[in-house]
Amino acid sequence: MGVEVALTDAQVHDRLAQLPGWRHEQGMIRKTFKTDGWPTTLMLVNAIGFFAEAADHHPDLKVGWGSVEVAVSTHSAGGITAKDFELARLVEQTALWRPEAGSAFRGTPKRFVERNTP
């Protein structure tokens, strides 16, 4: 496995265009996911933790009753790398996953994790 190289600010900006609601702030890429309450918040934190541990790449999480802020950077590279974006995409897919139309799953009638979060 090669050495991770930090992306330039321009590269980070370009890649953020593919991740709505994510922002570049304080040397990390971040997004706050709004949930419908504590149980959903804990489920989301656990799902993020599972993928982060499996990837051996661990985001900072700020957890509140109805929100989870995810912040990612690569400390060993001194900035944001391609693997930060890969983890961010996985977090995004996990947090906002819903059954497809016609699926055997009916989906939750609750808000769960809001799709449009700043």
Side-chain angles (χ1 to χ4, degrees), residues 1-4 55 83:
M1 187 153 144
V3 175
E4 291 291 324
K83 83 172 158 181

Side-chain angles (χ1 to χ4, degrees), residues 77-91:
I80 299 164
T81 67
K83 83 172 158 181
D84 298 313
F85 279 94
E86 190 171 338
L87 184 59
R89 278 190 295 280
L90 184 56
V91 168

Side-chain angles (χ1 to χ4, degrees), residues 2 14-15 18 20 28 32-33 36 44 49 51 58 66 68 71 76 84 87 92-93 95 100 103-105 109-110 112:
D14 289 345
R15 290 180 185 216
Q18 302 302 311
M28 303 177 100
T32 301
F33 294 90
D36 61 5
L44 179 56
F51 288 114
H58 307 99
V68 178
S76 61
D84 298 313
L87 184 59
E92 184 82 6
Q93 290 168 0
E100 292 182 22
S103 167
F105 299 115
K110 301 187 304 179
F112 211 57

